[in-house]
Amino acid sequence: PSYSTVALIEEPTGVEDPWDLPELRDTGIKWSERDTKGKILCVFQGIGKFILLLGFLYFFVCSLDVLSSAFQLVGGKVAGQFFSNNSIMSNPVAGLVIGVLVTVLVQSSSTSSSIIVSMVASSLLTVRAAIPIIMGANIGTSITNTIVALMQAGDRNEFRRAFAGATVHDFFNWLSVLVLLPLEAATHYLEVLTNLVVETFNFKNGEDAPALLKVITDPFTKLIVQLDKKVINEIAMNDEAAKNKSLIKIWCKTFTNVTQMNVTVPSSENCTSPSLCWSDGTYTWTLKNVTYTENIAKCQHIFANSTLPDLAVGIILLLASLLVLCGCLITIVKLLGSVLRGQVAVVIKKTINTDFPFPFAWVTGYLAILVGAGMTFIVQSSSVFTSAMTPLIGIGVITIERAYPLTLGSNIGTTTTAILAALASPGNTLRSSLQIALCHFFFNISGILLWYPIPFTRLPIRLAKGLGMLSAEYRWFAVFYLVFVFFLTPMAVFGLSLAGWPVLVGVGAPVVAVALLLGLLGVLQSRCPRILPRKLRDWGFLPLWLRSLKPWDDLISLLAGCCQNRCCLNKKRQSNLKGVCSFQLQGNRGFVDLFPENVGSLFSINITTYLSITRASCVICGDPCSGSTVKGT
């Protein structure tokens, strides 16, 4: 009878929150159950894992440095030419996307900021025109940790957390620009505020800015490649001779001397002075101070004696650094996963994610901002800090809510480094470089005031979680997001800017209006659908391919399936088997692929290391002549 089975049906107690941190359980032997030898071995294993973790973290940071150099070799001269186009610098929207593109191309907001400072100091660029470029540089620097998050795509849950933790930086920067760029264009409040600060204080030149992390990484990275970053600055300042120079530094030790030499001049009017001018009947001579540079010692890096062009060296370094970056990141995640178990994980998670007791819980987030600023100041790179934090978010040590204020603090920390570097500038560039650095600082402070103090305004967290959920379900969308946001959109806006204001406004205004309308409609559908007509209460009135990624996912799966079938058929021709069955199991440890001898064979597998199987798919390739395929899940 039906009533007799009611007790056997377990009703769900509630919906599981996909953002809950996983419980990092210790699956090994407990400490109390180990003998003396086992305890000593466990201690040495822990020390070894810690040393390995530091080693791979060192190579991870070095690979980020080499990756930046590779991007500069591939796109540095193009970046310099972006800056040299003064005809569109007065357009704040064009300046914004130039800042994004240049920072993405050189993978360093410090490099793009130094170019901007040099141009302002040389009167090639005004502070007003430079501010949107600084905003764009702030956006461009967040691409690094988004790339790092892609390396955790093997596990769906880890990828959801890691990608959301990385893109919370993107959303904060883009939302801040959407509000503050029009405000700056209308009121110039950043320019006025920083000008008042610079005029109020009598700053003097300081010592060189601290380079704490460079002291550790430079001995290794300088053995790989060294760049002459002045070349990009010279290209930005329209130096034609610099366009033919190589970015690879050949001579590391040079000697510059000034000496008096006899030189010929067209006429006596070009002489240094009448007393230092004479003629031999054919030429007019004068005495002039001539500066010459003598090369003393070559650099000791791999490409110092190479004849390869910059592009080839850049591609080699790009592939090598990405390979090392991926390898180090995968190893770091596995080491962290094995170390952060049991009681250690409980202590670390509680320390990082627990708030202060009531009524001081609100202080915790601001303390996290200070910690993020301090850590970024120590490592001198917001990209390094946020990239190192991304795998910790993925494995569930840091929550998105705690990562958000740490990221905001990192944004502040990278500007304090620029301020110190500005204070160490020569007297002729001190004022302009300091004002640009302060513009960067106050821009981030303004963004924090907009998107953090009131919990309701913390939109970047909600948007990043939504994107993380979407990217975890359709992992190809993460790559599309990266290309669309950091390359296609800025390039499209830049191209429209070259065509002039009328074209940019004519095309951009309808696009922005439609986006705002759709956003407003989405908010009304979720908050108060009753005020909308029945047809507009959901997105059913749109075609499926406009309101869902499922058709696109089916298309990509179909294309991938065609490639897989072709590969499978090639294997069949090589092995002369009637059919090959490929099983793919996905669990909390990643994926495992199984290829038995043939379709008819019976086989068993040990899945104890792939617990919590979430998906198992089988693809059976039929006869090679007919090409028939059977898929099952």
Side-chain angles (χ1 to χ4, degrees):
S2 59
Y3 64 85
S4 64
T5 62
V6 173
L8 300 177
I9 302 173
E10 294 184 1
E11 293 294 333
T13 56
V15 180
E16 182 183 355
D17 186 1
W19 299 102
D20 281 344
L21 294 184
E23 185 179 352
L24 303 174
R25 297 178 179 175
D26 192 355
T27 56
I29 303 172
K30 293 182 179 180
W31 179 264
S32 58
E33 298 176 357
R34 296 176 184 268
D35 56 11
T36 304
K37 182 180 178 182
K39 290 180 179 179
I40 294 174
L41 184 62
C42 181
V43 170
F44 278 106
Q45 283 180 344
I47 295 173
K49 286 180 179 179
F50 181 71
I51 294 173
L52 279 175
L53 187 62
L54 289 180
F56 281 107
L57 187 61
Y58 174 78
F59 285 113
F60 172 74
V61 174
C62 289
S63 65
L64 286 175
D65 194 1
V66 176
L67 182 70
S68 174
S69 299
F71 271 104
Q72 290 180 54
L73 285 169
V74 172
K77 290 187 176 181
V78 177
Q81 290 175 354
F82 276 145
F83 280 126
S84 65
N85 195 337
N86 294 325
S87 61
I88 60 171
M89 285 296 184
S90 58
N91 183 344
V93 178
L96 174 73
V97 296
I98 286 173
V100 175
L101 289 170
V102 169
T103 308
V104 167
L105 286 172
V106 301
Q107 279 288 289
S108 172
S109 59
S110 301
T111 300
S112 54
S113 299
S114 64
I115 296 173
I116 296 167
V117 168
S118 301
M119 295 184 70
V120 172
S122 304
S123 301
L124 294 175
L125 198 65
T126 63
V127 173
R128 181 171 297 181
I131 290 175
I133 307 176
I134 288 291
M135 294 182 181
N138 215 49
I139 294 172
T141 193
S142 62
I143 189 178
T144 308
N145 59 324
T146 310
I147 293 174
V148 169
L150 294 178
M151 309 306 170
Q152 291 180 263
D155 186 283
R156 197 178 297 273
N157 292 325
E158 282 189 12
F159 184 57
R160 176 174 59 247
R161 289 189 294 266
F163 199 71
T167 53
V168 74
H169 195 187
D170 305 351
F171 282 114
F172 169 77
N173 287 330
W174 279 108
L175 289 173
S176 298
V177 164
L178 287 175
V179 175
L180 297 178
L181 182 62
L183 182 63
E184 173 64 22
T187 64
H188 307 294
Y189 84 100
L190 284 175
E191 181 185 4
V192 174
L193 179 60
T194 54
N195 188 51
L196 288 174
V197 173
V198 171
E199 288 183 348
T200 302
F201 298 98
N202 185 22
F203 291 107
K204 295 183 179 180
N205 290 4
E207 299 297 327
D208 291 340
L212 303 178
L213 192 66
K214 291 288 185 182
V215 173
I216 303 173
T217 58
D218 275 357
F220 179 73
T221 56
K222 282 188 175 181
L223 294 176
I224 300 173
V225 69
Q226 295 183 45
L227 301 185
D228 185 3
K229 297 180 181 180
K230 294 180 180 177
V231 175
I232 302 178
N233 286 30
E234 291 169 356
I235 293 174
M237 295 182 186
N238 287 316
D239 187 348
E240 292 295 330
K243 294 181 180 179
N244 297 321
K245 289 182 181 179
S246 173
L247 281 171
I248 301 174
K249 185 182 286 187
I250 306 298
W251 299 95
C252 285
K253 188 180 289 185
T254 59
F255 175 73
T256 303
N257 192 21
V258 179
T259 183
Q260 289 186 339
M261 294 181 63
N262 296 335
V263 296
T264 59
V265 291
S267 64
S268 58
E269 296 177 356
N270 302 104
C271 291
T272 307
S273 67
S275 59
L276 300 176
C277 189
W278 68 93
S279 176
D280 59 2
T282 306
Y283 298 103
T284 302
W285 296 83
T286 187
L287 198 63
K288 190 176 181 181
N289 290 334
V290 178
T291 302
Y292 71 94
T293 301
E294 182 180 352
N295 297 321
I296 298 175
K298 276 192 172 184
C299 299
Q300 299 299 318
H301 59 84
I302 297 174
F303 299 98
N305 298 314
S306 173
T307 57
L308 293 173
D310 286 4
L311 181 61
V313 175
I315 292 174
I316 293 171
L317 290 177
L318 184 65
L319 296 176
S321 59
L322 283 175
L323 186 63
V324 174
L325 182 73
C326 296
C328 288
L329 187 65
I330 292 170
T331 310
I332 287 171
V333 170
K334 289 188 178 296
L335 283 171
L336 287 172
S338 64
V339 172
L340 298 177
R341 299 287 177 185
Q343 194 61 33
V344 177
V346 172
V347 172
I348 293 176
K349 286 166 66 175
K350 281 187 176 181
T351 303
I352 295 177
N353 300 307
T354 304
D355 292 335
F356 288 124
F358 182 82
F360 302 106
W362 61 273
V363 178
T364 314
Y366 295 98
L367 181 62
I369 291 176
L370 294 178
V371 170
M375 292 298 294
T376 305
F377 178 78
I378 291 173
V379 301
Q380 283 220 303
S381 172
S382 60
S383 298
V384 170
F385 176 71
T386 54
S387 298
M389 191 169 59
T390 298
L392 293 175
I393 301 170
I395 64 175
V397 176
I398 304 176
T399 63
I400 308 295
E401 287 75 14
R402 182 63 73 241
Y404 181 53
L406 288 170
T407 302
L408 301 187
S410 179
N411 270 3
I412 296 177
T414 194
T415 62
T416 56
T417 306
I419 292 172
L420 286 177
L423 292 175
S425 301
N428 60 336
T429 63
L430 174 62
R431 177 185 172 85
S432 56
S433 57
L434 182 59
Q435 189 171 359
I436 291 297
L438 287 174
C439 286
H440 197 182
F441 175 76
F442 284 114
F443 167 72
N444 283 306
I445 293 293
S446 302
I448 291 174
L449 293 176
L450 279 174
W451 308 114
Y452 188 75
I454 306 173
F456 175 77
T457 62
R458 294 172 190 174
L459 290 178
I461 295 177
R462 293 196 289 273
L463 293 173
K465 283 185 173 182
L467 183 61
M469 294 286 287
L470 191 65
S471 300
E473 185 176 358
Y474 308 106
R475 273 171 278 195
W476 55 267
F477 185 75
V479 179
F480 171 79
Y481 163 82
L482 200 67
V483 174
F484 181 78
V485 170
F486 290 101
F487 291 98
L488 296 182
T489 301
M491 286 296 291
V493 176
F494 180 72
L496 292 173
S497 301
L498 290 176
W501 262 108
V503 177
L504 179 63
V505 174
V507 176
V511 173
V512 172
V514 170
L516 291 175
L517 183 62
L518 292 176
L520 177 62
L521 185 59
V523 172
L524 293 176
Q525 285 176 352
S526 60
R527 298 293 180 181
C528 42
R530 293 183 179 180
I531 67 172
L532 294 173
R534 186 173 298 275
K535 190 175 182 180
L536 297 180
R537 291 179 183 178
D538 55 41
W539 298 107
F541 64 94
L542 291 175
L544 185 61
W545 61 274
L546 276 178
R547 53 187 167 90
S548 173
L549 291 178
K550 187 67 173 63
W552 300 100
D553 186 61
D554 292 340
L555 178 62
I556 292 174
S557 299
L558 180 63
L559 295 175
C562 291
C563 296
Q564 186 178 13
N565 292 342
R566 182 167 297 183
C567 177
C568 190
L569 291 173
N570 290 335
K571 287 183 179 179
K572 287 177 62 180
R573 292 190 183 100
Q574 295 171 6
S575 60
N576 293 322
L577 294 175
K578 292 183 179 180
V580 175
C581 181
S582 164
F583 286 90
Q584 187 181 72
L585 302 180
Q586 176 191 346
N588 59 357
R589 299 273 183 95
F591 293 92
V592 59
D593 292 312
L594 303 167
F595 297 93
E597 290 296 326
N598 55 61
V599 175
S601 66
L602 296 175
F603 65 100
S604 62
I605 57 169
N606 181 5
I607 62 169
T608 55
T609 56
Y610 288 88
L611 300 176
S612 304
I613 299 298
T614 56
R615 184 183 181 195
S617 60
C618 169
V619 179
I620 302 175
C621 298
D623 183 75
C625 299
S626 64
S628 60
T629 301
V630 181
K631 294 183 180 180
T633 300

